[in-house]
Each structure stands twice: as structure tokens, then as C-alpha cells.
Amino acid sequence: MGTQGDGNHFLFVGISKNTGNTMLVTHHGSRAPGAALYDKGMKVANHYRMDISPETLKENAWIPYDTEDGQSYWEALQLIRQWTKENHTSIHDAVLNKMEMEKENRYWNEHNFVFKDGDLFYHAKGATPLDDKFMPDITGPRLIPLNMAEPVLIVQGKTTERNLGFAPHGAGRNFSRSQHKRSLAHKTTEDIFKEETEGLDIRFYSNEIDISELPSAYKSAKNVRAQIEEYGLCEVLDEVMPYGCIMAGDVQKNAPWKKKKKYRKA
């Protein structure tokens, strides 16, 4: 609890285009508890797959919802959802306490999650829920990050024939991490970092620059925004103009918790 993880997880600070207020945006998923539940769930799902449809790929295994296992897994997912929300809240509260400030507003949304509408399930990979029916505890608009050098979009919207009640999660990757690093091998890490983060305060939790998390690793934010407008996927209410962020990055290079373990052993 109270940790961000690694990879593309981040803590982003920016200024509201509408109000000038400072805004803090965190991005991370369900961390170790979610991963543990997923692993256990897939093992259970595979038993059902082998019994019901052995020709189905193992990766596409499922747990029938009308079974005790299905009901239990759905309930467990809701607990993981709660845990994730509390984890974000704990980080925001820690920042507020450290700065001795009061929040003016707070809202959140999950993404890359499974949502239920009646007996229909939506596996929203790469998608952010817009319709209130997917989020019973909704407290405000939704958030769509693009990359560290671009604004975080604050959006709202309704279900249409084009969006099925969802907006894009953000700007996905152009290439795999390793492919992106290979494409920039002719430049130094420091030069790439300087070019892509000019004017911003960008830090990495491990103190190691991870170029696979820099803006060029992701799809064009301009194109994503153009597609949102062209297809009427959602309405942009405000933008959080970037000031800087702390990226998790590749923490395996210089994992802080490994240092702590070494210190304890000493």
C-alpha cells in the first residue's frame, strides 16, 4: 500500500488549463494483489476451459459467471478495485500531508479492467469507462494521460454506437520497449532525455533514465486527440498542462527496495 510499482506508472504534476490550479495525477494498477488474483483466477479458468472447450486457447480461458467460482472471482475483482483506489488515495494523502495542504477536489477512474452491465462483461483493455453504469462510486470526470510531455485530458461522455461507453485509455506504445531502445541506439541516453523533456521536471524513481518511457516511445498524442474528436469518443472538459512527473521506469536496474534489503543484511 502506498507504492507505485514500475514501468509506465507515474506521478504527474500539472496546471489546470481552465482554473490555473495545481493538479496531481497518479497512474498505477492493482500491483501485487491484483497480479496474485489474476494468476489464481487463470488457473481456475483453465480447469473450466479444459472441461468445456479444450480447443480454446489457454490464454482465452474463462470462469463461467453462473458458477460459485465465477461469483467469487467477480467479488474478488471488486475488492482489488477498492484496494487500487485506496492505494491511489494513500499516495495523494501523503503528498497533501507533506505539503500541509487541503485538496479542493478528487476523482478517479480505473482502466484496463473488466466491467459488467447486466449479464454482459466488457474486457476494457486500453479503454477508460465513460458511462456511469460501469463505475457505481463515480465522483467526477475521467482522466486520459497521453505522455509526460503532453496534457492529461479530463473528459466526460455517454455511450454511443462508436464508443460502447468507453474512451481511449491514452496513447499506447509505438513499439516494444526493446525495439524502441534499438531505434535510438545512435544517440546517448542523456541526449534523448534532454531533447524529449525540455522545459519539464522529469524524474525517475530509480534515478536511472528509462528511454522506453519517454514521449517518443508512445503513439502521437496529436493523432489520439484528433481521433477522439473525429469519432466523437468523448468530450474534453479540461487539460492538465504538464509541469513534471516522477516515472517509475525500469526499477530493476537500481531498485530502491533491493538497496534496503542489502542494508538490513549488513
Side-chain angles (χ1 to χ4, degrees):
M1 178 62 71
T3 62
Q4 282 275 100
D6 59 10
N8 68 347
H9 297 170
F10 62 75
L11 183 149
F12 177 103
V13 178
I15 308 296
S16 163
K17 191 175 183 180
N18 290 349
T19 67
N21 289 344
T22 298
M23 304 183 80
L24 171 67
V25 180
T26 50
H27 165 77
H28 63 260
S30 55
R31 314 284 285 105
L37 175 63
Y38 172 78
D39 288 343
K40 187 167 185 177
M42 284 302 291
K43 288 175 183 175
V44 174
N46 195 46
H47 287 301
Y48 282 97
R49 178 193 68 85
M50 292 173 67
D51 184 46
I52 299 171
S53 180
E55 68 278 8
T56 297
L57 292 175
K58 186 178 180 180
E59 293 79 7
N60 295 332
W62 77 101
I63 307 174
Y65 182 61
D66 58 358
T67 64
E68 185 177 348
D69 287 328
Q71 300 282 327
S72 295
Y73 188 66
W74 179 252
E75 289 173 11
L77 281 173
Q78 305 321 298
L79 288 173
I80 288 295
R81 180 182 185 273
Q82 266 185 291
W83 186 94
T84 305
K85 184 178 180 181
E86 287 301 318
N87 197 43
H88 281 273
T89 299
S90 70
I91 292 172
H92 284 245
D93 285 347
V95 173
L96 289 169
N97 292 337
K98 184 71 174 177
M99 300 184 71
E100 299 181 348
M101 295 178 67
E102 294 290 329
K103 72 177 187 297
E104 183 172 314
N105 201 353
R106 175 183 283 164
Y107 42 87
W108 89 298
N109 61 265
E110 65 265 71
H111 63 275
N112 287 356
F113 198 62
V114 58
F115 300 89
K116 182 175 178 292
D117 180 23
D119 61 354
L120 189 62
F121 291 84
Y122 293 82
H123 293 263
K125 179 63 176 173
T128 291
L130 284 175
D131 199 310
D132 288 0
K133 67 186 177 184
F134 296 128
M135 295 186 66
D137 58 351
I138 191 62
T139 54
R142 317 302 192 257
L143 299 158
I144 301 180
L146 297 169
N147 66 57
M148 63 174 65
E150 294 287 337
V152 173
L153 306 181
I154 299 178
V155 307
Q156 68 178 10
K158 297 180 179 178
T159 297
T160 69
E161 290 182 358
R162 288 184 182 273
N163 68 17
L164 300 179
F166 294 87
H169 157 42
R173 289 185 175 278
N174 271 320
F175 321 98
S176 68
R177 293 175 189 274
S178 55
Q179 187 178 353
H180 177 66
K181 289 177 179 178
R182 285 196 299 271
S183 72
L184 295 173
H186 60 290
K187 296 181 180 180
T188 68
T189 297
E190 290 71 22
D191 285 344
I192 299 165
F193 180 76
K194 184 177 180 181
E195 286 175 16
E196 299 197 28
T197 64
E198 193 71 42
L200 300 172
D201 184 349
I202 305 297
R203 311 179 189 196
F204 288 88
Y205 181 58
S206 65
N207 292 319
E208 297 275 353
I209 297 172
D210 183 354
I211 62 172
S212 69
E213 291 302 336
L214 295 180
S216 61
Y218 290 88
K219 293 175 183 174
S220 164
K222 182 179 178 181
N223 289 348
V224 173
R225 296 188 65 162
Q227 289 165 1
I228 286 174
E229 186 172 343
E230 179 181 355
Y231 297 107
L233 300 177
C234 58
E235 176 190 0
V236 178
L237 301 176
D238 195 3
E239 301 176 34
V240 186
M241 310 307 291
Y243 174 81
C245 73
I246 303 173
M247 291 293 305
D250 184 2
V251 294
Q252 294 305 321
K253 281 187 175 180
N254 189 21
W257 57 85
K258 289 184 178 179
K259 285 185 176 181
K260 290 176 183 177
K261 284 179 182 177
K262 289 178 181 177
Y263 177 77
R264 284 198 297 266
K265 286 179 182 177

